[in-house]
Every structure is written in C-alpha cells, then in structure tokens.
C-alpha cells in the first residue's frame, strides 16, 4: 500500500456536485464543448487613481503584456490593450485596431485617450467602472491547463507578476475568479493534510499517555493506526481516486477514529490482568469477550461513511468508499496486532494500572450510577427540555451555501471578492443560451432585439453585471459605422441592417469575437453574465422568480428556447442535490444500524432504547446550528451520518457489557447497570475525549466546511457520551426486565464463550467436602467433573 500510495494524485477539477447524467449537467457540458469554458477567467482588479498616471499606466500595459506571454494563457483583456472596430470603407468591412496605438508619451495625451475610451460602450461595466475609475484585467486560461497541476504554477506566476507590479507602483491589486479560488483551495488542502495528520497523532498520543501512563500504550497503537493510514492512501490510489478537500481529511480521521479501538482493547486488557495477573489469559479474554463487539462498532462507524458511497455525487462517493473500507479494516488490524504486540511486551506494571482506580473518573462514574438509579425522572425531564428547545432551534435551521463558502470572511480572497461585487457586480460566471431554432437565426434583427431587451433587464438587476453577447458586438458595429459616436451604440434599424451587416460578412464564419458567442451554425448564441456570490437561496429566487419569468414573457410568442446555465447555477443546484443526498444517507445509516442492532439483540425494545440516546445528540446539534445561525450546507449536513455512526458505538459497547452482566448477576438489572457503567463507562469517557479532541483540531482549518466538521462533530460526540451514560441506562432500568427470552437467542449471546462460569470468582474444588449421604454416584460424578476441569 505504501508503494501504491506513491501514485496518488491531487484533484485540480472543480468539485462537481451534480451527477454527470443530470439533464442540466449534460446541457452544461454541451455548452462548454460549443463555446468553451465559462469558469476560466482569472480577474485582477484595481481601484487607484494612480493607475492613470503615465508611468504607472505604462507599467500596467507591461503587466498585461507579460501576462499574455505566460504558458497556458489564452488571452488577456485590459484597458491598455483594448481594441475597437474601425470602419474600412474601401473594403467594406470593420477592422480591429488597438485603441492605445501609438502608446501615449505624455500625460495630456493619455488623459485625452482615456476620456475617449469612455465612449467605447462595449467595455463599459466590463473592464471599466465609469463611476469610480475601477478597472480589471481579465486573464483567460487554457482549459487543459485549468484542470491540471500546471494551473497552480500558472496562478503563482500571475501573482508573482502582480506582486512585482505592486512593489514598483504601490498600487494594490485584487484577485478573483474560479481559477484563483480553486488553486488557493488546492494548495490549502495539501498543507492541511500534513498539518492535521501530525496534530491528530500528537493530540491522541498525549491523551493516551495521560490515560495509560505508558509509552507502550501510546507508541504501538499509533504505529498500528499508521498501518491503516498508509492503507487509506494506498486505497485512494488503488481505486484511481484523487486527493480532494474531503479525501484529504481521511488520514487524520482514521487516526482519530482508530485510536478508540486501542483504548477499548487496552482498557479491557488492563482490567483482566488486574484481576488474575495472567498476561496471556488477559489477552485471550480481550479478544474473546469484546472482539465481536469491537467488530460491530467498527462496522457501524464505517456505515456512517459507507452510506455516502451510495450517492450520485463523485466527491462524496469517493470519500465514503475509502473512509468506510479503511475504518472497517481498523478492526482486523487492531484485533490482530494489539494482542500480538502486547504478548511480546512485559505485562503492565502497577503504575500502568493506576488509571483503573483513577479517583476523579471513579467519582464521575459513581455520580452517574447514582443519578440513573435514583433520579431517572430528572434525567428524562432535563433531556425532554433540552430536546424541546433543540427542536425549536431545528425549526430555525436554514439551508444556504455560497460558491466560496469555505473561505474565511476575514481572508483576502473574500475581501477581494467583495471588491469585484462592489465595482463590477461580481465575478462568478453565469450564462444564458438562446436557441433560435433556425440556422443563422442569431443574426435576425427580431431575435437580436428580443435578446437586447432581455439584456437590458438583466443589466438592471443589482447583483448581475451588464451582459456581453453578439448583441453587444452588433451595437459596437453600428457605433463604428458612425465613426464611433457613442450615441449610436444600439442595434441597427431595418434600413441600416443590410449595409451594416454587410460589413460583418467576414465575421459570419465565426472567426474573431463571434466564435465565442455564436455556434458554428449561427443557430445558438450565448449571453455571458458575471454575478455576485449571493448564496443559494437568493440565486434560486433570482433565477426562478425573476429571470425565468422575464424570459418567458419576452419570448412568449417565439419558438426560441432560452436556458440559464453556467458554473454558478450548476453549483447552486449541486448544493441542493448534495444536501438531499446527505439526508438520504443519514436515513440509510439509521436504517442499517437499526437492522444491525436488531440482529445483535433480537429485541425491538432494545433497538429503540439503543437508538434514542444517539438521535438526541443529532437533534441538539441541529438545534445549536439553528440558534447560532449555522446554515445547513454540504459541509454541515455531512456531520450527521458520520457522528451517528460513531456515537452508536458507545451504545453497542454498553449494551454488550450489560447483557454479559445480566448473565453474571442472575438477570438483576440494577446490578448489571451499575457494573456496566463502572467498567464500560471508563472506556466510553476515554474514547469520547479522544474523539472530541481529535475532531476539534479541524477547527484550526482555513475552510469553513472543515471547521464545521470539526466543531459540530466533536460537540455531537461529546453529547452522545453523556446520553449513552445517562439516558441509555435510565431507559434500560425503566423498560427492560432483564429476563432472557427462552425462544430467542440474540447473536450477542451466541458467539463463542460470551459468558462462562470461569469468568466469575474461581473456585478451588480441592477445598470442597462432599457428603456421602447422597450416595457414591454423586461422589463419582464430582470426581469426573474434577478430572474434566483439570
């Protein structure tokens, strides 16, 4: 696996949350094949009057020219490099010419040209904000570079050039666009993978050292977990997956979730050894008595991840499959290697066994035992009040996500994004495709007028930039026909159409600008927009309740088909789809775990009793999200199935011990509860502390989704520990009579040596004196028994 993991690759694709077979995704892929990538623009913004000083403007031009020479850059559009249409009367065509040609050599000439540049309405609102002088450079990146490792190098080269420009001029640059955001996220994922892996090892190691007071109990379990971490990386490579924002979290999650196995096994080993002092016998009983339970708990934990593999979303499916397989594999590695390793090590010393009599922990367990036996009504009342308050908070829970959701509010990326939203109405791509239904239908004046009407409406909306399309080009052509007089920037009338369109005849083969906006048949055209990152709810309302009704109204009597597409609308739809899939995954995890509990215990009451303490933490977490305005989004919805799969482990461990104690104590429920809390409670607290500390380290991430995963998962698991130590035993005391049903034999009682007489206090038969009053047959029977036992 270590050898295989060398082949692992990093993902540079934008995370697709809409299935490839979805009609909207199919349509979007067809759009990209026809018109090219819509999310390939890297924008550099400037708001500083100093940029219009001659020397700085010359450096601005140099920056634009240098950007254009970088490998992987298709084109660069900036103010110093703008072109305009010039009417060529002799050849009856329009020529494209550089506006700043020759480049001005003095400030007065530059100022004059800048004033004239404002008359080029084609660029107004696109690269120039005429209200405050803000301007941007638009860098178009090659599609192959965009989805490869070379993108990272290209983005770094662009930023290096920008930093050099800022250093010389003192003018601040603002960066935005999907290529920039994607590169930043990919770089951070790589950094955080290493950071969280190290932190998880250090944190869990320190906690285990604190618990067990032994380096053996720390070093060897961590080495064993390291085996699984290596296997998880090898699994990613083996399946041909790549490292994404989610799969990058698998190694530290493996460490955090795998360590509880070691804690349960080592704690049981120490408990057994402290009773009889026989190391091999203690290790034997560890495997025999809690082996099956550990198998089941690993399986239920894995279920929380594996159910994600049944979704149609690639990034979730890969995460669920790899995490689920390797979490389940931790059982086999732990149950084999821990007893094997510790069979070679010296038996635990008295100092290493001190944790079994740790007085503060013993006091806590005694308090919990006293509480569930004497104040069950209080436990139920407090739980009911908390759940009621949480249900109200759950009612307030909102579902909303943003395109750059995971980026911190105070980061430069988010501040730069706000710059583009304030000055250019956003930078996120959205497209409107107009299919006229007829070849060359795009250039029909009636169709152009309707598209122009739609563009006027779209341009009037607050969160959308003014559109760019073939309509803009035709308007610019009329302006050029009338010597670039800005008042003629409009569509030609019926009389002007024939002679202005004749000047465009050389462009009808889709060369030049038209190729980006009209397909090869002239039947379809694109209207390109830039939108603000206003969130999924507002974007849904904007498209469904504002834009689409206006489209239907404008094209009501036409056979023209108009459809909204692009990266931004697909992202919004993907988040709805993602959250719905996660809800299904949670239900599936709930169902599968309920079935497992049914197979284990074959008692409907026990199934319900075991699920209640693990559903309560999910409700409380949802309530906290509602009260603290933490929205339900992909990163937070992911928490519930994972946390449920992990937290139910405590219930299984407790119930397995409870069933064992029932057999040992003549099916007397109160004693069984007390002994279960005393023995299993310590391991539950240990593991919950490890899980809490292990997941809470993710709160140090730069990504909002990872922070939410860490904080909310750790909170949920901590609450689950308390409910499994209070609500669960209280429910058992109330609803379980402890009697074994003769007609049913649960799986938990059927595996080899679930309960044996020699688990009780051992009896020396040589000390027993047998009366002969009952006959020689009884004596002989006892002697035979002694021989068999010996």
């Amino acid at each position: 696996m270590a050898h295989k993991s060398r082949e692992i690759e990093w993902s540079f694709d934008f995370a697709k949350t809409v299935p490839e077979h979805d009609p909207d995704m199919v349509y979007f892929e067809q759009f990209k094949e026809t018109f090219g990538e819509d999310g390939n623009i890297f924008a550099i913004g400037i708001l500083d009057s100093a940029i219009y000083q001659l020397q700085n403007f010359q450096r601005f031009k140099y920056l634009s020219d240098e950007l254009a020479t970088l490998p992987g850059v298709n084109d660069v559009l900036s103010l110093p490099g703008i072109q305009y249409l010039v009417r060529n009367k002799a050849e009856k065509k329009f020529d494209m010419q550089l506006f700043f040609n020759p480049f001005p050599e003095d400030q007065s000439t530059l100022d004059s040209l800048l004033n004239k540049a404002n008359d080029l309405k084609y660029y107004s609102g696109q690269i120039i904000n005429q209200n405050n002088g803000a301007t941007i450079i638009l860098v178009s990146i090659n599609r192959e570079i965009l989805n490869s490792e070379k993108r990272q190098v290209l983005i770094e080269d662009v930023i290096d050039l920008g930093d050099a420009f800022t250093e010389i001029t003192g003018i601040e640059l603002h960066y935005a666009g999907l290529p920039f955001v994607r590169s930043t996220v990919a770089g951070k994922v790589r950094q955080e993978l290493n950071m969280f892996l190290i932190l998880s090892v250090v944190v869990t190691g320190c906690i285990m050292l604190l618990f067990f007071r032994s380096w053996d109990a720390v070093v060897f379990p961590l080495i064993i977990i390291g085996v699984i971490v290596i296997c998880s990386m090898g699994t990613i490579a083996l399946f041909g997956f790549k490292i994404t924002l989610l799969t990058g979290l698998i190694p530290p999650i493996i460490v955090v979730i795998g360590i509880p196995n070691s804690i349960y096994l080592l704690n049981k080993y120490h408990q057994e050894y402290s009773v009889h002092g026989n190391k091999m016998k203690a290790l034997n009983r560890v495997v025999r008595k809690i082996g099956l339970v550990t198998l089941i708990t690993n399986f239920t934990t894995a279920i929380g991840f594996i159910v994600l593999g049944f979704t149609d979303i690639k990034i979730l499916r890969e995460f669920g499959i790899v995490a689920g397989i390797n979490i389940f594999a931790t059982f086999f590695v732990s149950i084999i290697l821990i007893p094997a390793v510790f069979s070679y090590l010296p038996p635990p010393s008295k100092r290493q066994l001190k944790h079994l009599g740790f007085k503060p922990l013993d006091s806590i367990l005694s308090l919990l035992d006293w509480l569930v036996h004497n104040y069950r009504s209080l436990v139920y009342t407090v739980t009911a009040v908390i759940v009621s308050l949480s249900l109200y908070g759950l009612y307030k829970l909102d579902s909303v996500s943003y395109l750059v959701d995971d980026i911190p509010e105070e980061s430069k990326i988010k501040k730069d994004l706000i710059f583009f939203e304030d000055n250019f109405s956003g930078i996120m791509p959205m497209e409107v495709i107009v299919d006229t239904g007829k070849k060359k239908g795009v250039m029909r004046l009636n169709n152009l007028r309707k598209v122009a009407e739609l563009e006027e409406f779209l341009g009037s909306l607050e969160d959308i930039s003014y559109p760019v399309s073939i309509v803009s080009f035709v308007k610019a052509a009329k302006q050029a026909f009338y010597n670039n007089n800005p008042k003629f920037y409009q569509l030609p009338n019926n009389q002007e159409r024939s002679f202005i369109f004749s000047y465009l005849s050389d462009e009808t083969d889709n060369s030049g600008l038209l190729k980006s906006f009209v397909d090869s048949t002239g039947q379809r055209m694109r209207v390109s927009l830039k939108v603000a990152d206003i969130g999924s709810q507002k974007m849904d309302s904007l498209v469904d309740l504002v834009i689409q009704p206006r489209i239907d109204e404008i094209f009501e009597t036409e056979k023209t088909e108009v459809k909204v597409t692009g990266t931004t609308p697909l992202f919004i739809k993907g988040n709805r789809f993602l959250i719905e899939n996660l809800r299904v995954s949670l239900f599936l995890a709930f169902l599968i775990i309920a079935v497992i509990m049914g197979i284990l215990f074959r008692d409907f009451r026990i199934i319900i009793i075991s699920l209640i303490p693990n559903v309560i933490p999910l409700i409380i977490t949802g309530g906290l999200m509602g009260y603290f305005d933490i929205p339900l989004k992909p990163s937070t919805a992911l928490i519930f199935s994972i946390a449920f799969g992990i937290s139910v482990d405590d219930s299984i461990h407790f119930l397995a011990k409870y069933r064992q104690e029932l057999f040992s104590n003549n099916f007397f429920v109160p004693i069984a509860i007390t002994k279960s809390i005393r023995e299993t409670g310590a391991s539950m607290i240990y593991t919950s502390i490890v899980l809490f500390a292990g997941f809470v380290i993710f709160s140090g991430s730069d990504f909002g989704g990872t922070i939410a995963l860490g904080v909310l998962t750790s909170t949920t698991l901590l609450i689950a520990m308390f409910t499994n130590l209070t609500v669960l035993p209280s429910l058992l005391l109330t609803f379980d009579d402890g009697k074994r049903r003769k007609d049913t034999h649960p799986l938990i009682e059927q595996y080899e040596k679930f309960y044996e007489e020699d688990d009780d206090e051992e009896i020396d038969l040589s000390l027993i004196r047998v009366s002969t009053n009952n006959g020689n047959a009884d004596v002989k029977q006892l002697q035979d028994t002694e021989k068999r036992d010996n």
Side-chain angles (χ1 to χ4, degrees):
M1 281 300 195
H3 177 77
K4 191 68 181 176
S5 65
R6 298 184 309 164
E7 303 172 10
I8 205 164
E9 297 180 5
W10 295 82
S11 174
F12 296 96
D13 297 329
F14 192 75
K16 296 178 180 178
T17 53
V18 177
E20 295 181 356
H21 55 78
D22 183 84
D24 289 333
M25 178 57 77
V26 172
Y27 188 88
F28 181 50
E29 291 297 330
Q30 292 173 348
F31 157 81
K32 290 195 290 186
E33 290 298 322
T34 303
F35 298 105
E37 192 77 39
D38 73 325
N40 66 334
I41 300 298
F42 184 176
I44 305 172
I46 301 171
L47 179 57
D48 192 330
S49 59
I51 192 67
Y52 298 113
Q53 296 172 7
L54 179 61
Q55 191 175 29
N56 288 334
F57 200 74
Q58 289 172 337
R59 290 167 178 159
F60 189 23
K61 181 180 184 302
Y62 177 78
L63 172 62
S64 302
D65 293 342
E66 286 297 302
L67 290 172
T69 64
L70 293 176
V73 172
N74 289 336
D75 193 19
V76 174
L77 179 61
S78 67
L79 182 56
I82 58 174
Q83 301 181 63
Y84 69 111
L85 292 174
V86 177
R87 181 183 177 187
N88 186 333
K89 294 182 180 179
E91 299 183 19
K92 291 189 175 181
K93 67 175 185 176
F94 293 115
D95 296 326
M96 295 291 295
Q97 293 186 5
L98 283 172
F99 184 77
F100 292 97
N101 187 28
F103 201 80
E105 297 182 357
D106 57 75
Q107 188 66 46
S108 60
T109 304
L110 174 61
D111 292 341
S112 176
L113 287 172
L114 288 172
N115 287 329
K116 290 182 180 179
N118 290 328
D119 293 338
L120 300 178
K121 300 298 183 182
Y122 181 84
Y123 296 106
S124 180
Q126 303 301 323
I127 63 170
I128 308 170
N129 184 326
Q130 294 183 348
N131 296 325
N132 61 10
T135 184
I136 57 176
I137 304 175
L138 300 177
V139 182
S140 174
I141 298 177
N142 181 274
R143 185 176 183 179
E144 285 71 28
I145 296 292
L146 196 66
N147 296 319
S148 72
E149 193 170 359
K150 294 179 181 179
R151 182 192 67 206
Q152 195 77 14
V153 177
L154 175 58
I155 298 300
E156 290 173 359
D157 289 342
V158 171
I159 294 175
D160 287 342
L161 287 173
D163 290 343
F165 173 82
T166 299
E167 186 177 349
I168 295 173
T169 63
I171 296 173
E172 182 183 6
L173 300 183
H174 303 272
Y175 301 101
L178 288 181
F180 175 64
V181 173
R182 290 165 60 184
S183 296
T184 302
V185 169
K188 286 289 184 182
V189 167
R190 189 172 297 192
Q191 293 175 11
E192 291 193 352
L193 170 61
N194 298 324
M195 180 184 74
F196 287 134
L197 183 57
I198 294 171
L199 276 177
S200 63
V201 171
V202 171
V203 169
T204 54
C206 289
I207 294 174
M208 289 190 70
L209 183 61
L210 182 65
F211 286 162
F212 293 109
R213 316 284 179 85
S214 169
W215 285 106
D216 292 347
V218 175
V219 174
F220 290 104
L222 286 177
I223 291 174
I224 291 168
I225 293 303
V227 172
I228 301 298
V229 170
I230 292 171
C231 288
S232 68
M233 300 301 288
T235 305
I236 294 174
L238 195 64
F239 287 150
F241 300 157
K242 296 181 180 181
I243 295 289
T244 64
L245 183 60
L246 282 180
T247 52
L249 296 176
I250 290 177
I253 287 177
I254 291 289
V255 173
V256 173
I257 294 178
I259 285 297
N261 273 349
S262 302
I263 291 177
Y264 272 110
L265 295 173
L266 289 177
N267 201 50
K268 183 63 178 174
Y269 169 48
H270 287 178
Q271 287 173 346
E272 289 289 339
Y273 183 80
S274 67
V275 172
H276 47 69
N278 187 324
K279 181 181 73 172
M280 297 308 296
K281 185 175 183 179
L283 290 172
N284 176 273
R285 288 187 173 182
V286 165
V287 177
R288 177 164 52 84
K289 296 184 72 171
I290 66 170
L292 177 64
V293 177
T294 307
L295 171 65
I296 299 301
T297 55
N298 275 259
F299 184 63
T300 54
T301 299
I303 287 296
F305 292 87
I306 290 174
V307 291
L308 302 175
F310 292 96
T311 67
D312 286 332
I313 301 166
K314 182 180 178 182
I315 187 173
L316 268 186
R317 187 167 62 248
E318 294 178 357
F319 173 69
I321 291 172
V322 175
I325 289 174
N326 286 281
I327 287 170
F328 188 53
T330 57
F331 163 76
F332 297 100
V333 175
S334 300
I335 204 69
I336 293 171
L337 291 185
I338 285 183
V341 168
F342 281 85
S343 69
Y344 287 99
L345 296 175
S349 64
K350 290 183 179 180
R351 183 178 63 84
Q352 294 170 353
L353 296 177
K354 280 185 178 180
H355 70 92
L356 297 176
F358 186 49
K359 290 185 177 180
L361 179 60
D362 189 60
S363 299
I364 292 172
L365 294 176
S366 297
L367 176 63
L368 293 173
D369 185 39
W370 173 79
L371 185 66
V372 299
H373 280 89
N374 298 282
Y375 292 96
R376 269 178 287 162
S377 58
L378 178 62
V379 172
Y380 294 147
T381 302
V382 171
T383 303
V385 170
I386 293 175
V387 169
S388 299
L389 292 173
S390 299
L391 288 172
Y392 177 71
L394 201 60
Y395 175 75
K396 297 173 63 177
L397 185 61
D398 205 1
S399 175
V400 62
S401 55
Y402 294 83
L403 201 61
V404 290
D405 218 357
D406 284 337
I407 307 298
E409 291 292 331
E410 66 278 3
S411 68
K412 189 177 187 304
I413 297 176
K414 210 61 173 287
K415 292 177 180 177
D416 285 352
L417 180 63
I418 294 172
F419 166 86
F420 286 95
E421 292 177 351
D422 291 342
N423 294 284
F424 297 95
S425 298
I427 197 66
M428 300 304 173
M430 186 166 77
E431 304 285 339
V432 177
I433 305 302
V434 180
D435 187 345
T436 62
K438 295 181 180 179
K439 291 184 177 181
K440 298 185 180 181
V442 164
M443 297 305 290
R444 293 190 177 187
L445 199 55
N446 181 56
N447 290 331
L448 290 175
R449 286 172 179 166
K450 288 187 175 296
V451 173
E453 184 181 354
L454 176 61
E455 289 186 359
E456 287 293 330
F457 171 74
L458 294 173
S460 67
L461 299 176
E462 180 181 0
D463 298 310
I464 297 182
S465 67
Y466 199 86
V468 179
S469 70
I470 185 62
V471 171
S472 310
F473 185 75
V474 172
K475 287 180 178 181
K478 179 176 178 179
Q479 181 180 355
F481 189 84
Y482 289 101
N483 299 317
N484 282 300
N485 187 331
K487 72 178 183 179
F488 288 101
Y489 183 74
Q490 55 189 252
L491 288 174
N493 56 36
N494 291 327
Q495 290 74 28
E496 296 166 328
R497 179 188 181 281
S498 56
F499 51 83
I500 290 180
F501 277 23
S502 67
Y503 274 73
L504 294 173
S505 58
D506 290 341
E507 294 290 338
T508 55
D509 62 347
N510 292 314
S511 63
L513 289 174
L514 292 184
K515 186 175 182 180
S516 299
F517 295 103
V518 181
D519 71 348
S520 58
T521 64
Q523 178 175 317
R524 294 190 299 160
M525 63 180 289
R526 69 188 284 193
V527 179
S528 293
L529 314 165
K530 296 292 185 290
V531 299
D533 191 14
I534 56 178
S536 54
Q537 288 184 345
K538 289 185 178 180
M539 184 60 69
D540 275 340
S541 299
L542 181 64
V543 173
D544 297 336
L545 303 180
V546 179
I547 295 177
Q548 193 60 52
R550 185 61 176 151
I551 289 174
D552 296 339
E553 182 181 338
I554 293 174
F555 295 92
E556 181 181 9
T557 58
E558 300 290 328
K559 295 181 179 180
T560 303
E561 179 186 350
V562 182
K563 190 173 180 65
V564 178
T565 188
T567 298
T568 302
L570 262 293
F571 173 82
I572 300 303
K573 178 175 183 177
N575 277 279
R576 293 199 308 268
F577 194 85
L578 187 56
I579 290 173
E580 183 58 34
N581 270 257
L582 289 171
R583 287 172 178 165
V584 173
S585 298
L586 176 59
F587 174 76
L588 188 59
F590 187 89
L591 182 63
I592 293 174
I593 290 173
V595 171
I596 292 171
M597 301 300 281
I599 294 173
L600 278 177
F601 298 102
R602 292 193 184 179
D603 189 331
F604 183 74
R605 288 180 304 171
I606 295 295
I607 296 173
I608 301 300
I609 288 172
S610 66
L611 292 178
I612 289 174
N614 298 292
V615 172
I616 291 172
L618 302 184
I619 296 173
I620 295 174
T621 299
L624 291 173
M625 290 171 62
Y627 283 118
F628 289 98
D629 295 324
I630 301 174
L632 185 66
K633 53 186 178 181
S635 54
T636 53
L638 183 67
I639 293 162
F640 294 96
S641 62
I642 293 176
F644 181 70
I646 298 173
S647 65
V648 80
D649 292 357
D650 283 345
S651 297
I652 294 174
H653 274 290
F654 189 93
L655 289 170
K657 181 61 181 174
Y658 169 68
R659 301 291 288 200
Q660 289 178 344
E661 293 299 336
L662 281 177
F663 277 77
S664 300
N665 295 279
N666 199 28
F667 301 97
F668 188 54
V669 172
I671 294 296
I673 291 292
T674 295
K675 289 190 174 183
S676 298
I677 291 176
R678 294 275 183 171
E679 183 173 328
T680 310
S683 294
M684 289 168 65
I685 291 175
Y686 287 168
T687 55
S688 295
I689 291 174
V690 170
L691 289 168
F692 176 83
F695 274 102
V696 87
I697 63 174
F698 293 124
S699 61
S701 172
D702 285 333
F703 299 111
T706 308
I707 294 171
L709 177 68
V711 173
L712 294 176
T713 303
S714 58
T715 301
T716 306
L717 294 176
L718 194 63
I719 296 170
M721 178 195 73
F722 284 107
T723 56
N724 277 297
L725 284 173
T726 55
V727 177
L728 177 58
S730 296
L731 291 172
L732 289 171
L733 283 167
T734 303
F735 297 104
D736 189 33
D737 56 16
K739 294 180 180 178
R740 178 177 176 175
R741 275 62 176 175
K742 294 182 179 180
D743 56 338
T744 60
H745 298 282
L747 178 63
I748 197 67
E749 298 173 9
Q750 290 182 12
Y751 77 96
E752 184 182 3
K753 299 182 181 179
F754 164 79
Y755 168 75
E756 291 184 334
E757 295 291 341
D758 67 357
D759 287 341
D760 293 334
E761 184 178 349
E762 297 184 358
I763 300 173
D764 188 350
L765 295 177
S766 64
L767 298 178
I768 297 178
R769 297 292 180 265
V770 182
S771 171
T772 59
N773 293 334
N774 294 329
N776 293 330
D778 290 339
V779 175
K780 186 177 186 304
Q781 183 180 1
L782 180 60
Q783 290 173 342
D784 292 340
T785 302
E786 280 187 77
K787 290 179 182 179
R788 185 173 63 252
D789 290 341
N790 290 332

